Structures are given as C-alpha cells and as structure tokens.
C-alpha cells in the first residue's frame, strides 16, 4: 500500500536560513509526488510536483525538491526562508487519475526573526 | 477562473444530527475528492468521484457518504454525528481522466464542530 512519511512534526528556522523538509514514500510503481502548503484556516496549495524526467523540480515561492528513487525520498528545500513561509507543509503521493492521493502527516514550519 | 468552492465554511451541529457539505469544482474538472483533516489524524482520504461514480473510498464508516452530480458538483453527508467527526472537511478537484496529472486543487474547507 502506498504511504508517505514526514519524520518532522515541526521545524523552526531563522529567517534567511536554508530549509529542508523530509519526505519518504512507499509506492509500488513510479510515483507522482507532490508538495502542498497550507496556511492557517486555508485549503492546500500546490508548491511543486514530480512526474518524470529531471529529478530536481522547481516550484513556486522559490521552493525546489529532489526525487531520489534509491532513497524513496522527495525532500523539499528552500535556500532562504522568509517569515511568510511559516505554514504547514504536506508531502503527497498519487498517480494518474487523481484518485486517492495520500498525504503525509505534515510538517509545521515556524520562522523566527 | 473560479477556484473550488465549498459551502458552508463553518457549521455547528449536535451529536446524532446529520450534515451535508457541498463542493463546486473548478470548471472542467471532473474528479472530486474529499478529505477529513484533524490535528491528530492529519489528512485522511474519504472518497473520490469521477463522472458521478465513486472510484475510490477511504477507511471511514458507512455514516460517511457522498455523491456527484452531472455538473461535477459534489456533496458529502455525515449521518448520526459523533464528537470525533469535528474536523475540517476539504474538497479537491482534479483534471482526471485521460492524461490527468493528479494535481489536486483544494477549496478552503468546511469546518464542522460537533457538540
């Protein structure tokens, strides 16, 4: 069965510091991988996605993620965090068809001045 | 292009009552998925509809049901409400079918409080 693990429940980084959020997945075929962000009281917004091809994908708001098949990982990175990046981040695995996309438990990011 | 619209945004019910939540997907999107979000359980998949057919279902009791109409709008219903049903219910639409990408577009959710 497919599953997603986000080992860090919450992370605190200083504004301007770099960020890496971890994600590991379990999937029987080539996965479609996603990172979503959720601000308080809001729905989820797609940051980036990986389907195939280049394993380093660029997303919105300066985020990027790298797919590593050998490690079953899809970690999210940002070189310099802004206070507005404080939110909850969800890694997800799905497949074509859009049905039953599975989400990780989420990582809440706190940004300190 | 209008986004995914969920109504109502907030509602309060008492145990034993039932509730119906509505979701209007993005125009042209034929797939609608529903998720329950709680602090303890995170995002849990409820079900997904495509062309009025339920294609997949999560591990929820039969009190949770849904349907999709010919215009792709969807409703979910929870009967005999329990305190543990208090949650944010999120709807997401997708360009499913054919060369679908699997990307989900979420509404802002319906926050249900059961007293």
């Amino acid at each position: 069965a497919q599953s997603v693990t986000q080992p860090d429940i919450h992370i605190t980084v200083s504004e301007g510091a770099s960020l890496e959020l971890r994600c590991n997945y379990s999937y029987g075929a080539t996965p479609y991988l996603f990172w979503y962000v959720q601000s308080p009281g809001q729905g989820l917004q797609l940051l980036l996605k990986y389907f195939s091809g280049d394993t380093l994908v660029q997303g919105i708001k300066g985020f990027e993620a790298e797919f590593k098949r050998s490690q079953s990982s899809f970690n999210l990175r940002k070189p310099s965090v802004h206070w507005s990046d404080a939110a909850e981040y969800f890694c997800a695995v799905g497949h074509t068809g859009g049905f039953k996309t599975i989400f990780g438990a989420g990582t809440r990011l706190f940004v300190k001045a | 292009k209008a986004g995914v619209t969920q109504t109502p945004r907030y509602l309060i019910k008492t145990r034993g009552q039932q509730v119906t939540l509505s979701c209007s997907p993005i125009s042209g999107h034929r797939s609608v998925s529903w998720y329950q979000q709680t602090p303890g359980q995170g995002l849990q998949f409820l079900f997904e509809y495509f062309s009025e057919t339920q294609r997949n279902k999560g591990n929820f009791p039969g009190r949770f049901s849904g349907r999709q109409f010919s215009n792709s709008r969807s409703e979910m219903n929870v009967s005999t409400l329990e305190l543990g049903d208090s949650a944010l219910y999120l709807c997401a639409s997708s360009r499913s079918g054919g060369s679908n990408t699997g990307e989900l577009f979420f509404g802002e959710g319906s926050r249900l409080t059961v007293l």
Side-chain angles (χ1 to χ4, degrees), chain A residues 100, chain B residues 44-48 54 56-61:
Chain A
K100 202 170 184 180
Chain B
Q44 300 290 312
F45 173 79
L46 280 157
F47 27 64
E48 188 263 355
Q54 186 182 90
N56 216 328
K57 190 177 189 303
N59 297 322
F60 279 82

Side-chain angles (χ1 to χ4, degrees), chain A residues 32 34 36 38 41-44 46 49 51 88 90 95-105, chain B residues 9 31 33 35 37 43 45 48 55-57 88 90 94 96 98 100-104 106-108:
Chain A
Y32 287 7
F34 308 85
Y36 289 84
Q38 184 180 33
Q42 302 295 315
L44 280 71
L46 181 72
K49 58 192 177 189
F51 294 146
E88 189 151 23
F90 293 91
H95 54 85
T96 186
F99 52 98
K100 202 170 184 180
T101 298
I102 300 300
F103 288 81
Chain B
R9 289 292 312 281
S31 168
S33 300
Y35 289 85
Q37 186 178 27
L43 275 159
F45 173 79
E48 188 263 355
R55 293 197 298 187
N56 216 328
K57 190 177 189 303
L88 180 67
L90 290 165
S94 175
S96 186
N100 161 66
T101 63
E103 177 180 347
L104 298 176
F106 282 85
E108 292 186 318

Side-chain angles (χ1 to χ4, degrees), chain B residues 19 27 53 75 83 103 107 110-111 115:
Chain B
V19 65
S27 178
T53 299
E75 289 181 347
L83 295 179
E103 177 180 347
S110 293
R111 183 164 296 281
L115 303 177

Side-chain angles (χ1 to χ4, degrees), chain A residues 31-83:
Chain A
Y32 287 7
L33 295 163
F34 308 85
W35 275 98
Y36 289 84
V37 61
Q38 184 180 33
S39 297
Q42 302 295 315
L44 280 71
Q45 179 186 20
L46 181 72
L47 282 175
L48 48 77
K49 58 192 177 189
Y50 171 79
F51 294 146
S52 64
D54 193 348
T55 56
L56 184 64
V57 294
Q58 303 295 321
I60 62 172
K61 305 183 182 184
F63 285 92
E64 66 177 27
E66 186 171 11
F67 170 59
K68 292 185 177 180
R69 184 186 300 275
S70 61
Q71 299 177 20
S72 296
S73 69
F74 189 57
N75 294 348
L76 181 71
R77 300 194 294 249
K78 186 170 185 178
S80 178
V81 169
H82 187 262
W83 64 266

